[in-house]
């Protein structure tokens, strides 16, 4: 039986995805949010992790620098990402995270089930609409470090907390935030977070 961990910070949506997959009968499915996904992964030892690339907290698994990613995928679970063509930043992050499958959230529910079967068997699955969007995708303007800093700021971390977590000086953190804000044409840090979240970059 294929073991699946659905990672979604919105309980209603995560529960709906879990129910959909359980209805297939061939899956053992659990749902987890952040924080705490690592404990659920340790208990279930999933073959496939299904992640909505646009939900808050997805960066914990899509960002390869985050310890949470190792805790969830460290046992070799395949990463299956739910995304939409109009969020190029989310698609690019999923690609950089080396996702095994990409399912269009606007597609039929059966596509998710098919994709789970495929990636669980060691294959790859990419919906045509997302493949086209990936090929047409413009490069993300933020550097990896700018994205990491802004993602933590979006999570509510202070400059001091970000500096401590990333082993940077506080002035360096402020410089990264200012640089990211300039690159996306934001008025301030809050505006930069808004713009980057809409694009799916953080």
């Amino acid at each position: 039986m294929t073991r699946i961990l659905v990672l979604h910070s919105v309980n209603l949506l995560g529960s709906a995805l879990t129910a959909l997959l359980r209805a297939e009968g061939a899956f053992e499915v659990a749902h987890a949010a952040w924080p705490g996904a690592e404990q659920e992964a340790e208990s279930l030892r999933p073959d496939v992790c299904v992640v909505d690339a646009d939900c808050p907290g997805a960066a914990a698994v899509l960002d390869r620098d985050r310890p949470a990613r190792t805790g969830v995928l460290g046992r070799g679970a395949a990463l299956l990402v739910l995304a939409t063509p109009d969020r190029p930043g989310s698609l690019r992050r999923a690609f950089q995270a080396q996702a095994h499958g990409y399912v269009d959230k606007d597609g039929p529910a059966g596509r998710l089930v098919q994709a789970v079967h495929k990636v669980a068997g060691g294959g790859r699955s990419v919906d045509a609409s997302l493949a086209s969007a990936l090929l047409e995708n413009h490069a993300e303007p933020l550097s990896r470090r700018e994205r990491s800093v802004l993602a933590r700021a979006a999570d509510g971390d202070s400059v001091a907390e970000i500096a401590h977590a990333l082993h940077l000086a506080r002035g360096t953190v402020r410089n990264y935030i200012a640089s990211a804000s300039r690159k996306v044409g934001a008025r301030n840090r809050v505006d930069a977070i808004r713009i980057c979240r809409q694009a799916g970059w953080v």
Side-chain angles (χ1 to χ4, degrees), residues 43-63:
S43 173
L44 181 65
R45 301 189 179 210
D47 302 302
V48 179
C49 285
V50 177
V51 181
D52 184 337
D54 299 321
C55 81
V61 176
L62 297 182
D63 189 340

Side-chain angles (χ1 to χ4, degrees), residues 9 34 51-63 66 87-94 96 105 140-156 162 166 176-177 179-181 183-184 186 188-202:
S9 56
W34 293 271
V51 181
D52 184 337
D54 299 321
C55 81
V61 176
L62 297 182
D63 189 340
R66 299 245 184 143
R87 297 291 300 273
S90 295
L91 279 172
R92 178 166 290 276
R93 284 168 55 212
Q96 291 171 339
K105 290 192 287 187
E140 178 183 340
L142 304 181
S143 70
R144 192 171 183 178
R145 182 59 87 181
E146 287 167 343
R147 187 175 69 246
S148 296
V149 167
L150 206 60
R152 288 186 175 275
D155 288 342
I162 296 170
L166 299 180
Y176 278 126
I177 292 172
S179 174
S181 299
K183 285 182 178 180
V184 301
N188 51 43
R189 173 168 55 174
V190 173
D191 195 33
I193 291 169
R194 178 188 61 80
I195 291 168
C196 291
R197 273 188 165 162
Q198 285 179 344
W201 293 326
V202 299

